[in-house]
Structures are given as structure tokens and as C-alpha cells.
Amino acid sequence: MPSTIVILGTGGTIAGTASDPSDNVGYTAAQRSVGDLLAAVPMLAGRPIEAEQVAQLDSKDMDHATWQRLAQRTAHHLSRADVAGVVVTHGTDTLEETAWLLHRVLAPSKPVVLTAAMRPATALSADGPQNLLDAVTVAQMRGARGVVTVVAGNVHGPADVRKVHPYRTDAFSSGDAGPLARVEEGHLRQHRDWPDGPAMGLGRLAVDPAEWPWVEVVTSHAGARGGGIDALVAAGVRGLVVACTGNGTVHHAVDAALQRATHAGVLVWRCTRCAGGVLVGDPALLSPAAAMSPWQARVEMMLGLMGEPPAGG
């Protein structure tokens, strides 16, 4: 039975350092290696674990090239007969976007567990070591599968996870759905099934990251103007995700600009800018992004556009 857990490091706050151990916000992210993070959790010593540094960045600066490399390395290790699962250490800022990308591209039958921290590794009460231990626990759990996020003892599915607080250690939520499971003193209490679904396939990311379709998120708000949307269309944007007010409403100036964008061949999806809930109404009129966050929708649209020629091309 496979038993090896591979930990792929990408940087983030979990690998960050500060000169003052009492400073939980004035730190520099992505300073410690994934090997250092592993060494800080004595309970993992002696277990069949491998560590690999895929990237070393602050996740606010996550880019398509790193996503491509991470997906490729994750798929490589999942294909090994001796590997039970993969853990990815990541920054919190774009964690939910990476989780959705890996879920949609790989939809793995083995567990891929993303974990992170809200405090740097040098903090007096760093949350990274416990989160890493919990992530490995989930990755080693018999029957576990799919892409999940483990932070603050909660296991979140890729469709539901959202960062909902800028500072607290319990900064992630699954909203109305609630977490898939909880890790309690090394034991898993499961509430819902593991994530599943068809995989788009790693080949979707094979193109040069510089050539990935350009998709932007735009918002509607009081006093909104359509000029920014017109400028994006003129610059060659392929798709627009609109973070709408309420249940999919947009300012009239934004609506007019979106109609012009659509006529120019730009794909337009709507979702809500509200932190919770989904768009409701006539299913025939709803966007494919109705139940997604704007950030997930951007990833979904970009993946969908890959391999399709630009309008008029």
C-alpha cells in the first residue's frame, strides 16, 4: 500500500520570517525552505515523507508559470505507486485560486492537501507547524482523495473555500456548505464526501504560460463607469468576470460596456461580489460562474478558453 507523502513548497507566510517574534504582520514571506518547515514539526520525523521546493514566493505574486510547474510536479508525484498523497505549502492570499486550478485540472483520486499559515514561522505562536501536521494527517488518511485545503483544523473543499479574514488564524471558511471535515487531535471527523468531478487534464496547461488567455475580474459599484472595460477590450482581453452587486446586478454604465464587450467577442460571466451565497434565478439565464467566487470564475474561464482561438482568429 502506498505510504509516501510528498510535500511541495511554494513559499508564503508559512515560510515567512520576522525580526521580532511578537510581530505577526511585519514579516517577509517565503524565506524558509520546505525542508525547514518539515524540521519544525518533530512529530513528522521518521515518517515516509519527501520534500521538494517548487517555488519560493509570496502568494500575492502567484503567477501562471508557477501554477504550471506546481500542477506538473503534483501530477508527477501522484503517478508514483509509492505515493499516498501530496501536501502543498502555500500562501493564504491566493490559496483558493490554486486549489480550484488543481482540482479542475487534476481531480485526483489521491489526496492533494494545500495548507498555509496566517503567522510567520518565527511567531511566538506560529500556526504553520500544526497546519502542516494536520495536512499530512489528512493526506495519509485511508480513503482521502481530491484537492482540499487544511487550515486551523478545518478541511475545506475546492469549490467552497474562501479566505474571509485578513488576519485571524481561522481565516478560511466554506460558507453555507461548511467544512468537509475537521482534524481533531490527529483524528478526522468527516461531514461530507471528498471532492470529485471530471478532470480537464494536465494537457490544458501545456501551452507557454505567457500565452494563457487573458481574463480579468471587474466590479460593479456605485458611480461605476464603463471606460475601464472598454480599455480592456481594446487591449485584447479574452474574458471578463464581473463581481456584481447583489444577485447579479450591475451599474447601467457597466452593463452597457459589457454588452459592447460581448459584441466584440469577449466572453462575459457574472458572479456576486457578496462574500456568501450564490446567484439565484432562472437557470437558463445564469452564468457558469453563478456559484463561484470571482477568483475561481477567472480560473475556470481561463481554463475553458485554453485551446480556443481568439474571436476572429
Side-chain angles (χ1 to χ4, degrees):
M1 182 175 177
S3 60
T4 300
I5 300 298
V6 177
I7 303 178
L8 302 178
T10 67
T13 297
I14 193 171
T17 60
S19 58
D20 182 354
S22 66
D23 190 350
N24 293 324
V25 294
Y27 59 86
T28 303
Q31 298 300 296
R32 291 193 173 175
S33 70
V34 64
D36 291 338
L37 302 185
L38 184 58
V41 190
M43 293 75 77
L44 295 178
R47 297 196 195 185
I49 292 176
E50 298 176 13
E52 177 183 331
Q53 197 76 46
V54 173
Q56 189 68 299
L57 48 72
D58 187 323
S59 79
K60 69 178 177 59
D61 296 321
M62 182 57 68
D63 54 49
H64 294 168
T66 302
W67 269 349
Q68 182 187 63
R69 187 161 59 252
L70 176 61
Q72 290 170 341
R73 297 308 296 162
T74 300
H76 166 77
H77 290 297
L78 290 174
S79 70
R80 293 169 46 189
D82 62 319
V83 169
V86 172
V87 171
V88 178
T89 60
H90 198 285
T92 61
D93 284 350
T94 55
L95 182 67
E96 62 199 82
E97 296 169 60
T98 299
W100 186 251
L101 177 95
L102 293 177
H103 167 69
R104 293 295 284 127
V105 171
L106 302 177
S109 59
K110 295 178 181 180
V112 174
V113 185
L114 283 76
T115 193
M118 292 299 293
R119 295 173 179 172
T122 51
L124 287 171
S125 52
D127 52 329
Q130 183 67 60
N131 288 342
L132 181 55
L133 177 61
D134 288 346
V136 172
T137 297
V138 172
Q140 291 179 319
M141 197 68 58
R142 179 174 295 184
R145 70 176 187 275
V147 178
V148 297
T149 294
V150 176
V151 179
N154 291 313
V155 183
H156 301 287
D160 305 312
V161 64
R162 306 283 190 273
K163 185 175 181 179
V164 296
H165 199 279
Y167 174 75
R168 291 193 318 235
T169 54
D170 61 338
F172 288 85
S173 171
S174 286
D176 297 340
L180 293 178
R182 290 184 172 86
V183 183
E184 299 171 335
E185 296 300 317
H187 300 280
L188 191 73
R189 181 157 60 97
Q190 192 166 348
H191 306 301
R192 296 190 284 127
D193 290 340
W194 297 103
D196 205 352
M200 288 186 173
L202 190 61
R204 190 65 61 115
L205 305 184
V207 65
D208 182 344
E211 301 301 321
W212 287 14
W214 181 17
V215 177
E216 286 289 343
V217 176
V218 297
T219 62
S220 184
H221 51 82
R225 297 165 59 178
I229 293 172
D230 293 333
L232 286 169
V233 173
V237 74
R238 294 278 306 280
L240 294 171
V241 174
V242 190
C244 301
T245 48
N247 190 37
T249 59
V250 294
H251 189 282
H252 66 86
V254 170
D255 188 47
L258 292 175
Q259 291 183 42
R260 292 193 293 272
T262 300
H263 292 155
V266 175
L267 184 59
V268 175
W269 287 358
R270 295 189 185 197
C271 55
T272 183
R273 73 180 199 183
C274 298
V278 301
L279 301 188
V280 297
D282 184 347
L285 301 177
L286 290 178
S287 156
M292 298 179 189
S293 72
W295 334 118
Q296 286 176 326
R298 178 191 166 272
V299 172
E300 184 74 10
M301 182 184 285
M302 181 176 64
L303 291 173
L305 286 171
M306 284 180 176
E308 297 182 9

